[in-house]
Amino acid sequence: MRGSFRSYLLFLLLPLLLVLHETVIHNRRHHTNNNAAADDDDLALALSTSSRWIVDDRKGGERVKLSCVNWVSHLDAAVAEGLSKQPVDVISKKIVEMGFNCVRFTYPLFLFTDDKLGSMTMRQSMMKLGLSGSIAGVQVNNPLLVDLPLVNVFQEVVSNLNENNVMIILDNHLSKPGWCCSDNDGNGFFGDLYFDPKVWIEGISRVASMFKGYNNVIGMSLRNELRGRRQNLKTWYKYMQIGAERVHAMNPNVLIIISGLNYDLDLSFLQTNPVSLSFSKKLVFEIHWYGFSDGDDWITGNANEVCGRVIDKIANNALFLLDQGYPLFVSEWGVDQSGTNDNDNRYLNCLLGWAAENDLDWTLWTLVGSYYYREGVIGMEETYGLLNWNWRELRNSSFLEKISPLQSPFQAPDSNALAHKIIFHPSTGLCMQSHSSSLGPCSNALELDYTQEKILIVKGTNYCIEASEMHTPVRVGVMCGDDSSTRWEAISASKMHLSSTDKNGNIVCLDIDSKNNIVTNDCKCLSKDYSCDPSSQWFKVINSTSFNIAPSPISISQRPILDGSISSS
Ligand SMILES: *[C@@H]1O[C@H](CO)[C@@H](O)[C@H](O)[C@H]1NC(C)=O
Ligand SMILES: *[C@@H]1O[C@H](CO)[C@@H](O)[C@H](O)[C@H]1NC(C)=O
């Protein structure tokens, strides 16, 4: 009760304060950068949805694939992490350089509803937590920000991302600044200690209107990871619908992104009871999927069985939304990038295959190399972070290479004429190539048709992929369908082993050798065994579209050479 009375008073004061901030910031921005043109509505990027795709109407409905990274700004200091380590512009440019086109920028609701918090300077906020080292770092790397109020620091980061052409999704991560999330942290569901629905609606509306002038703010996540003992569907529908309407009314440009129950793992209830809104083409649903979402199942179970089971669960909990005509945004996933967490390693290969197959929009957890202050620890390392502790280098460049094919769209909407399949190998992040039996960049993948008879025909030719002898590279042959060595079935619970029969009648699976050649071997780890890792044999036949070049069917005389020899059988 006392809490809500206080918030009510703040509502009376806050608009005044924010107007003042806005004026200052606008002037600053127009002084420093004429190109920012932040208040020119014509330049605002307004994305919308077209069935399951996110598209840009200004470009004739061209698909925009969101390949984002989470940049955290919701912890105790309520400041975008990393500003003590690198200038904001260097960080924004790094994001672009790493191949991302978008940031999911997290914020604590109280930053915009509690005037005492919003008007506190970065220096004061850090001082309160005893972060003198961070203050010194900010003074060196971002001297112009250190004495700005926290709301303005947040705006400056958005502004800088905007100037670097990075799209921004504003994510209301929790209410009270701090690490997220647990059932009992008071931020979990409407009615919890720090989660007054009225304050929330007011706060997200204010954010919607405040960032209207920033061209690249393309989406708002209404609330992250709803959870805890208060969660219930009636309240969820009520406030998600009110929140969506209010945000849309304040800023009709942004995509409205809605999270499910149980830490954003569950949207299954939408199968029968859709959200009802007065507007269309703006609604996106988000889910989260981590290795630890399933405890330590990935190492205590057989990886094929776990992958199959978890993907089935997600199909029921969220993926069905694609068929309902909504984009599904995997707004948090990620791994310990040291490579020593086998639970994460096995999960990652399963997730990558699934995300590529469905060509989903996504956000990696996380950009952050280290936090100013997290859960009582100063300068905590983030092992799930792309950047290392000092925000200078990549924590693990092989991780970024591996996920990089997912940064580009595999498919364009409504382009059946250009549709084909490619073969993706998640554990290397590579695809089967046109001119050898090796793996290579997916941008140069061999284009195939996968027929009902399970033949992998090289697009525009009479040739198909054929199993040769055990332990030798696959090749192209002409006995397509006549010979069982040309029929490929996705087997095991994960459906990620591509299996055929070789010339000698052995059951084989696609695999890779030490030089990344695609060979056939005995199928491994198909079931039960939990100690072995099947991922070298995990492949996905995925839908793909030719983008830049019109498809030029390969004529017989230009047939692709897989291993340099046509099968003569
Ligand atoms: C990067 O990840 C790979 C694959 O998981 C792992 O083998 C390697 O040791 C990691 N490198 C570093 C520097 O952590
Ligand atoms: C791949 O494309 C086929 C043919 O258009 C379609 O039936 C199938 O559902 C697509 N698969 C996925 C995972 O989108």
Side-chain angles (χ1 to χ4, degrees):
M1 274 304 164
R2 237 177 45 206
S4 54
F5 180 62
R6 263 216 319 268
S7 332
Y8 178 66
L9 267 185
L10 291 175
F11 281 154
L12 296 178
L13 297 174
L14 200 64
L16 239 173
L17 249 150
L18 292 176
V19 165
L20 284 176
H21 288 170
E22 260 303 277
T23 319
V24 172
I25 274 299
H26 257 83
N27 290 340
R28 263 169 49 78
R29 205 167 43 236
H30 283 271
H31 264 298
T32 52
N33 188 340
N34 290 328
N35 295 330
D39 51 7
D40 188 337
D41 250 7
D42 291 346
L43 294 176
L45 188 53
L47 303 183
S48 58
T49 67
S50 168
S51 73
R52 60 148 291 189
W53 308 103
I54 294 170
V55 300
D56 184 349
D57 283 330
R58 294 175 320 172
K59 295 190 182 161
E62 185 179 289
R63 179 178 181 202
V64 174
K65 176 166 176 169
L66 300 179
S67 307
C68 322
V69 65
N70 278 286
W71 189 350
V72 172
S73 183
H74 68 270
L75 297 202
D76 306 68
V79 174
E81 301 291 334
L83 300 181
S84 63
K85 300 283 200 272
Q86 290 285 309
V88 59
D89 193 55
V90 170
I91 299 174
S92 294
K93 289 190 161 61
K94 251 191 182 39
I95 291 168
V96 175
E97 201 182 295
M98 292 189 293
F100 298 92
N101 62 12
C102 149
V103 160
R104 179 175 179 254
F105 197 33
T106 66
Y107 67 89
L109 189 72
F110 293 168
L111 178 60
F112 299 97
T113 59
D114 176 349
D115 135 52
K116 244 177 75 197
L117 179 62
S119 61
M120 185 183 286
T121 68
M122 173 167 11
R123 184 193 301 277
Q124 290 164 338
S125 176
M126 287 179 160
M127 195 73 93
K128 221 179 55 181
L129 296 165
L131 306 178
S132 49
S134 295
I135 295 173
V138 178
Q139 256 161 344
V140 171
N141 287 298
N142 291 286
L144 297 177
L145 302 185
V146 70
D147 289 311
L148 285 187
L150 294 178
V151 167
N152 301 57
V153 175
F154 190 88
Q155 289 172 324
E156 287 295 289
V157 175
V158 173
S159 215
N160 189 272
L161 289 167
N162 209 70
E163 282 162 27
N164 281 287
N165 240 331
V166 178
M167 294 183 282
I168 302 124
I169 290 163
L170 302 174
D171 165 62
N172 176 214
H173 212 70
L174 38 50
S175 299
K176 184 175 187 282
W179 183 247
C180 187
C181 304
S182 72
D183 279 355
N184 302 312
D185 61 9
N187 290 279
F189 201 74
F190 302 99
D192 281 1
L193 181 59
Y194 305 115
F195 200 169
D196 178 337
K198 282 207 233 68
V199 178
W200 174 73
I201 291 166
E202 199 53 43
I204 59 175
S205 309
R206 193 166 287 151
V207 170
S209 91
M210 182 183 291
F211 290 95
K212 211 175 150 174
Y214 295 71
N215 301 328
N216 275 10
V217 172
I218 53 100
M220 281 182 59
S221 266
L222 300 190
R223 183 73 172 196
N224 175 65
E225 296 198 356
L226 295 150
R227 62 188 176 275
R229 68 186 166 82
R230 281 197 176 77
Q231 57 181 339
N232 70 84
L233 283 177
K234 188 161 169 259
T235 311
W236 186 90
Y237 279 99
K238 175 177 174 190
Y239 288 119
M240 285 303 151
Q241 286 168 181
I242 295 176
E245 294 289 350
R246 287 289 292 273
V247 167
H248 182 74
M250 291 309 221
N251 184 346
N253 280 343
V254 292
L255 295 170
I256 307 284
I257 306 171
I258 293 187
S259 149
L261 296 178
N262 202 15
Y263 295 86
D264 209 1
L265 299 175
D266 186 8
L267 288 156
S268 58
F269 46 88
L270 293 169
Q271 284 183 32
T272 48
N273 192 7
V275 164
S276 153
L277 297 173
S278 66
F279 57 92
S280 60
K281 298 190 154 218
K282 286 290 181 185
L283 186 57
V284 172
F285 291 99
E286 62 181 314
I287 56 154
H288 296 173
W289 179 18
Y290 288 104
F292 55 74
S293 306
D294 298 282
D296 58 1
D297 283 11
W298 293 94
I299 44 170
T300 58
N302 171 270
N304 280 304
E305 289 167 356
V306 179
C307 179
R309 186 172 74 233
V310 173
I311 283 177
D312 279 352
K313 185 176 70 182
I314 295 177
N316 181 61
N317 282 352
L319 196 69
F320 69 90
L321 287 160
L322 298 183
D323 291 331
Q324 286 194 353
Y326 296 106
L328 183 64
F329 182 43
V330 189
S331 57
E332 287 189 26
W333 61 276
V335 292
D336 175 347
Q337 291 178 28
S338 68
T340 57
N341 180 332
D342 278 333
N343 203 58
D344 274 2
N345 297 344
R346 292 184 184 182
Y347 139 87
L348 178 62
N349 294 319
C350 176
L351 171 132
L352 291 176
W354 172 82
E357 177 179 37
N358 293 294
D359 204 3
L360 299 166
D361 301 281
W362 52 267
T363 312
L364 178 76
W365 188 273
T366 170
L367 174 69
V368 173
S370 55
Y371 300 100
Y372 307 118
Y373 180 91
R374 172 181 147 183
E375 297 172 289
V377 180
I378 293 179
M380 190 194 272
E381 181 104 33
E382 172 56 277
T383 57
Y384 282 50
L386 273 174
L387 299 175
N388 64 5
W389 188 83
N390 63 27
W391 289 64
R392 274 177 206 282
E393 294 90 30
L394 287 173
R395 180 172 299 277
N396 190 332
S397 58
S398 75
F399 174 78
L400 184 59
E401 277 171 35
K402 175 168 164 163
I403 68 165
S404 67
L406 274 73
Q407 292 177 322
S408 306
F410 290 104
Q411 301 174 55
D414 307 324
S415 50
N416 290 339
L418 305 177
H420 56 263
K421 308 282 179 189
I422 60 176
I423 297 184
F424 177 55
H425 186 253
S427 88
T428 54
L430 299 172
C431 287
M432 186 185 273
Q433 299 292 287
S434 297
H435 297 297
S436 65
S437 59
S438 64
L439 290 168
C442 292
S443 53
N444 190 37
L446 177 63
E447 299 185 0
L448 298 159
D449 284 321
Y450 191 36
T451 68
Q452 280 187 330
E453 296 74 36
K454 311 283 183 200
I455 320 265
L456 286 161
I457 307 238
V458 177
K459 187 102 183 153
T461 74
N462 296 322
Y463 292 89
C464 60
I465 309 292
E466 187 180 274
S468 184
E469 305 277 320
M470 186 82 95
H471 313 309
T472 64
V474 293
R475 54 189 187 183
V476 290
V478 288
M479 303 299 287
C480 305
D482 300 337
D483 194 313
S484 59
S485 64
T486 62
R487 281 194 293 271
W488 297 91
E489 188 114 34
I491 63 161
S492 87
S494 70
K495 297 273 187 292
M496 285 175 80
H497 295 260
L498 277 177
S499 175
S500 186
T501 311
D502 76 1
K503 299 291 174 200
N504 305 317
N506 303 306
I507 306 284
V508 293
C509 279
L510 284 191
D511 203 340
I512 59 166
D513 69 12
S514 58
K515 294 187 195 122
N516 278 354
N517 289 311
I518 302 179
V519 299
T520 49
N521 279 330
D522 285 313
C523 301
K524 67 176 178 188
C525 327
L526 291 186
S527 64
K528 297 194 179 78
D529 187 352
Y530 64 84
S531 62
C532 80
D533 177 4
S535 64
S536 74
Q537 293 193 350
W538 275 2
F539 291 82
K540 272 276 185 195
V541 179
I542 64 178
N543 287 345
S544 177
T545 310
S546 309
F547 280 96
N548 304 321
I549 22 164
S552 56
I554 309 165
S555 69
I556 296 296
S557 59
Q558 300 171 284
R559 71 176 187 84
I561 312 293
L562 275 184
D563 71 342
S565 63
I566 294 192
S567 155
S568 50
S569 59

